Amino acid sequence: MERDTGVYGPSGVAYKDNLYEAVNGEWEKTAKIPADRAGVGGFNDLSIAVEKQLIADLNNMGELESTSDKPELQQAVRFFQLAMDFDRRDNQGTHPIMPLLKRAIELTSFADLDAQGGSWYETFPVPFQFTVEPDMKDTAHNAVYAYGPGLILPDTTYYADDNPQRDKLLGIWRKMAVQLLVAAEFSETDAERMADGALKFDRSLVPFSKSGEEWADYPAMYNPEPLDEFLTHSSVINFRKFLKDLLPAEPTTVIVTEPRYFAHFNEIINQETFQDLHDWMIIRFLIGASQYLSNDLRVLGDTFHRAITGSAESPDETKSAYYMTNRYFDEVIGQYYGEKYFGDTARQDVRKMIQTMITVYEERLTNNDWLSAATRKSAIDKLEKIVVKVGYPDKLRALYGEFHVDRQASLFDNAESFNTLIQRDMFGKFVKPVDRTEWGMPGSLVNAQYDPSRNDITFPAAILQAPFYSLDQTASQNYGGIGAVIAHEISHAFDNNGAKFDAYGNLKDWWTKADFAEFNKRTQAMVAEFDGLPYAGGKVNGKLILGENVADLGGMSAALEAAKKDPAVDLQAFFINWARVWRGKYTQANMTARLATDPHAPNVLRANIQPRNFQDFYAAFNVQPGDGMYMDPAKRVHIW
């Protein structure tokens, strides 16, 4: 155990004064952030280890020129080899993109844009996005959703006049854009003008774009409009033509996720703004394409991302090739990783742990003292219908069978063909029922997920290892790690967003009015508990992180209950591993970005604030009034 007498952590700090510092302070002093990353810590360290293993495996498979009897994995290896051939990429320079760039340059009007419709959409950026996803109110069927285009900076808050990062970051973006344009054979004068035009267009989007806080409200995305009404949002773009080209059938309804943006679409997109939009589209195309070109262009195109994250360097050639391969073949590589390094025995063991957590959760709901019998019954029904996905999928999506690498073609051309297949597969789902067996995360990802529209939870193989879970850890440690993570994902079914979806993932009110009023009162207490706390030179937005905080609180509550059923329970070990899991060290730029956009609380606050809500923590470390971790009982939040 990482403690001396049960009072002080390895850093010499008392657990009762600062749990995070007691457990992680010594680690943080010596932890080094890799030059090509924005942070290190529990999740990041596991990701780095998984990445090293899979890069080694892909290299070995390449040397053998034969991987297995799985053709999808063979295509992944071939794509990795193509991405790794930097001699060829350097020799080709910008040549692979020039035919498409010529086509983009020759676009002179909205009439040209409409004429190309779907074929333009499949290749170039546009100031709107269509997706096919389960209908929030009828999740057995898919629907068409409309989104805005996204901003250059990470969040609307970055554009505030008093934000010191705004001009610096936009200056970095502008310089990068000019250099890419010059590399693509534009004159310096034209490049400067185009960069300014693109920035002007981006700035016009800001007043009508959603902030991170607004995106955290999932149900607010659901704004269905009859197709004829949606078509009126633009007088210069023929949305019907785009939808007809992209979809196998015309929708009767479009679900608008950003109503403010589309209500002002004509104000933003019109004849007067066409040139700025055109510049914006060309530059965004170049930035996206740069990752597939020469090494110099790849690193140049990553400049702005490095500025946002604070990472000192771009990933090296090998890592960049792996990331690209994993982006297209993530499910294929995840299945390989899960089968080789996790296996079915471990998968079944974790399934049992998840079932244990669900049973504990059901007991807690049954014994809940603030819900009515009717709401309790609906909550338990939803809990019992949660679909559990562990480790990796047994069956790959059919899409991966369509990926064929053309070794004679450029990396860019191969990627373009894959991008087209991915888009067509997504749009093709419009006339198909929702496939609830699909996974939202690959087995090689160190993460976990709850999907409110599917009412399912996913635990990839890669997260199911120490410090989250290990046979070498005690049950109390495992409950403080993976147990709390499992219950966290279950709790998302009952957070401020999940609570608005029923057992089948439909957006539906299943609460009594009195119960929902009490729930809102309790969640507002959670907002207040975190809102305004200082972090990284800024302040925490309690509304942005509400859903994840409710899930953390519910996760710890259920995991504690499960841990206490073990005769050998060690509550100190439980809380210490909780804090160890959330250790993290990040660049200043990354912390600033996370504060504005990440729906999770900062790691140190996740580790320190949630335990204060539980009497078990006070008992475990004899926390008394005046101690750093003490919180007045009246301020402690209890939900699930």
Side-chain angles (χ1 to χ4, degrees):
M1 293 300 302
E2 287 194 3
R3 64 180 191 273
D4 301 322
T5 64
V7 176
Y8 299 98
S11 61
V13 174
Y15 296 110
K16 65 181 183 177
D17 285 328
N18 189 322
L19 178 64
Y20 180 88
E21 188 67 25
V23 175
N24 302 312
E26 198 64 21
W27 166 84
E28 200 162 313
K29 286 178 189 174
T30 57
K32 298 254 192 294
I33 301 173
D36 62 352
R37 285 186 171 262
V40 288
F43 284 80
N44 289 301
D45 293 348
L46 286 184
S47 295
I48 290 169
V50 169
E51 171 190 301
K52 284 181 179 176
Q53 185 64 66
L54 288 171
I55 286 173
D57 288 1
L58 285 169
N59 273 318
N60 289 336
M61 292 176 198
E63 289 171 7
L64 295 171
E65 268 300 317
S66 173
T67 56
S68 67
D69 58 351
K70 294 188 174 181
E72 297 91 347
L73 188 57
Q74 290 176 338
Q75 293 301 319
V77 172
R78 288 173 186 168
F79 188 80
F80 177 69
Q81 291 173 322
L82 203 62
M84 281 287 289
D85 191 350
F86 275 92
D87 286 343
R88 184 181 186 222
R89 289 171 62 175
D90 289 345
N91 287 332
Q92 289 176 335
T94 59
H95 181 73
I97 68 167
M98 295 314 280
L100 285 179
L101 186 58
K102 181 174 182 291
R103 177 181 163 194
I105 293 167
E106 290 173 350
L107 186 82
T108 58
S109 67
F110 285 111
D112 287 351
L113 185 62
D114 285 343
Q116 296 186 52
S119 67
W120 176 278
Y121 185 99
E122 288 181 340
T123 302
F124 299 104
V126 288
F128 55 89
Q129 183 186 2
F130 294 127
T131 64
V132 170
E133 306 168 46
D135 186 319
M136 278 189 184
K137 286 196 173 181
D138 179 15
T139 56
H141 299 95
N142 284 304
V144 176
Y145 287 74
Y147 293 81
L151 301 170
I152 290 173
L153 295 179
D155 188 67
T156 56
T157 55
Y158 272 71
Y159 290 86
D161 289 337
D162 61 353
N163 190 317
Q165 294 296 307
R166 182 189 66 187
D167 294 342
K168 177 186 174 185
L169 288 170
L170 289 176
I172 291 170
W173 185 92
R174 183 184 186 280
K175 182 179 178 181
M176 176 188 72
V178 169
Q179 290 175 322
L180 283 171
L181 286 163
V182 170
E185 301 179 12
F186 288 88
S187 71
E188 187 88 32
T189 302
D190 285 345
E192 299 266 358
R193 178 194 57 74
M194 291 171 71
D196 288 337
L199 285 167
K200 183 181 174 186
F201 180 76
D202 175 70
R203 194 59 184 265
S204 74
L205 302 172
V206 177
F208 313 112
S209 297
K210 281 189 173 183
S211 66
E213 180 184 322
E214 290 175 298
W215 279 119
D217 183 356
Y218 299 165
M221 294 168 57
Y222 194 78
N223 305 281
E225 294 181 2
L227 177 62
D228 288 344
E229 180 184 330
F230 177 77
L231 296 177
T232 64
H233 288 309
S234 179
S235 59
V236 292
I237 290 178
N238 185 345
F239 286 134
R240 187 189 295 275
K241 171 71 160 58
F242 278 86
L243 290 167
K244 183 179 179 182
D245 289 351
L246 295 169
L247 293 164
E250 185 171 272
T252 57
T253 302
V254 175
I255 299 169
V256 177
T257 63
E258 298 184 73
R260 187 166 67 241
Y261 174 73
F262 283 97
H264 293 271
F265 196 89
N266 273 324
E267 196 177 315
I268 305 164
I269 315 292
N270 52 58
Q271 297 294 349
E272 287 72 32
T273 63
F274 177 80
Q275 187 59 58
D276 293 338
L277 168 64
H278 191 216
D279 296 336
W280 176 89
M281 290 193 292
I282 288 175
I283 292 172
R284 284 191 59 157
F285 168 73
L286 280 175
I287 293 171
S290 64
Q291 64 190 303
Y292 307 104
L293 305 176
S294 69
N295 193 50
D296 286 347
L297 290 171
R298 172 186 75 86
V299 173
L300 173 58
D302 188 46
T303 304
F304 183 67
H305 177 258
R306 292 198 304 276
I308 292 293
T309 61
S311 50
E313 298 175 1
S314 291
D316 64 25
E317 290 94 330
T318 302
K319 287 180 184 177
S320 73
Y322 167 73
Y323 296 150
M324 187 179 294
T325 305
N326 195 52
R327 188 160 64 250
Y328 289 108
F329 292 90
D330 60 347
E331 193 169 286
V332 176
I333 291 171
Q335 185 190 61
Y336 162 80
Y337 174 85
E339 288 177 344
K340 182 166 184 178
Y341 298 106
F342 188 62
D344 195 57
T345 302
R347 182 159 60 168
Q348 297 312 318
D349 185 53
V350 174
R351 276 190 177 278
K352 288 178 187 173
M353 183 181 286
I354 293 170
Q355 192 53 55
T356 297
M357 297 309 303
I358 289 175
T359 301
V360 168
Y361 222 99
E362 185 166 349
E363 290 172 3
R364 293 188 66 77
L365 286 172
T366 301
N367 298 321
N368 181 285
D369 61 2
W370 60 270
L371 289 177
S372 67
T375 306
R376 240 189 347 257
K377 183 176 182 297
S378 295
I380 290 170
D381 179 54
K382 181 173 185 180
L383 179 72
E384 290 175 343
K385 286 185 169 64
I386 288 178
V387 175
V388 178
K389 297 173 181 177
V390 180
Y392 50 93
D394 290 315
K395 184 181 178 182
L396 297 172
R397 283 179 288 163
L399 170 66
Y400 292 104
E402 298 180 42
F403 285 7
H404 296 289
V405 175
D406 180 353
R407 286 172 160 167
Q408 303 308 309
S410 68
L411 176 65
F412 175 78
D413 286 337
N414 275 276
E416 274 296 292
S417 70
F418 289 175
N419 291 336
T420 299
L421 287 170
I422 290 167
Q423 284 199 59
R424 290 179 181 176
D425 177 72
M426 184 263 291
F427 286 123
K429 291 176 182 177
F430 179 59
V431 292
K432 299 175 184 176
V434 172
D435 182 358
R436 292 183 181 271
T437 68
E438 282 190 357
W439 282 52
M441 287 183 167
S444 52
L445 185 66
V446 182
N447 212 330
Q449 178 188 55
Y450 172 78
D451 184 339
S453 288
R454 295 174 188 265
N455 194 28
D456 70 9
I457 48 178
T458 302
F459 300 96
I463 198 175
L464 301 170
Q465 52 185 313
F468 296 93
Y469 166 78
S470 171
L471 293 174
D472 295 329
Q473 294 180 168
T474 66
S476 292
Q477 287 175 309
N478 280 337
Y479 279 121
I482 198 64
V485 172
I486 290 168
H488 168 104
E489 299 306 334
I490 295 170
S491 295
H492 272 309
F494 310 103
D495 70 15
N496 57 305
N497 286 311
K500 296 171 185 174
F501 295 81
D502 69 11
Y504 298 98
N506 295 307
L507 187 58
K508 183 179 178 183
D509 186 4
W510 48 270
W511 297 68
T512 66
K513 284 187 177 179
D515 287 346
F516 201 69
E518 177 62 23
F519 175 71
N520 278 335
K521 178 181 172 185
R522 289 168 182 257
T523 58
Q524 286 309 302
M526 178 58 77
V527 172
E529 190 169 72
F530 280 81
D531 197 51
L533 290 175
Y535 176 75
K539 290 185 178 180
V540 171
N541 180 343
K543 291 181 181 178
L544 171 65
I545 60 177
L546 175 58
E548 296 296 338
N549 279 339
V550 171
D552 273 351
L553 185 71
M556 178 170 279
S557 180
L560 266 172
E561 193 79 21
K564 288 191 287 187
K565 291 178 183 293
D566 182 358
V569 62
D570 180 346
L571 290 179
Q572 288 193 351
F574 176 96
F575 288 110
I576 287 169
N577 203 40
W578 163 266
R580 181 184 292 114
V581 160
W582 299 121
R583 70 171 40 164
K585 187 174 184 178
Y586 305 96
T587 64
Q588 178 62 47
N590 181 255
M591 290 189 289
T592 300
R594 288 159 72 100
L595 203 55
T597 62
D598 192 344
H600 302 84
N603 57 309
V604 62
L605 299 180
R606 291 184 88 168
N608 272 351
I609 301 296
Q610 296 293 358
R612 299 180 193 186
N613 293 307
F614 295 91
Q615 184 55 39
D616 285 323
F617 176 74
Y618 295 84
F621 295 107
N622 191 29
V623 182
Q624 300 294 329
D627 293 333
M629 292 291 291
Y630 185 81
M631 181 186 290
D632 188 288
K635 294 182 178 178
R636 297 174 197 172
V637 182
H638 304 283
I639 303 178
W640 302 119

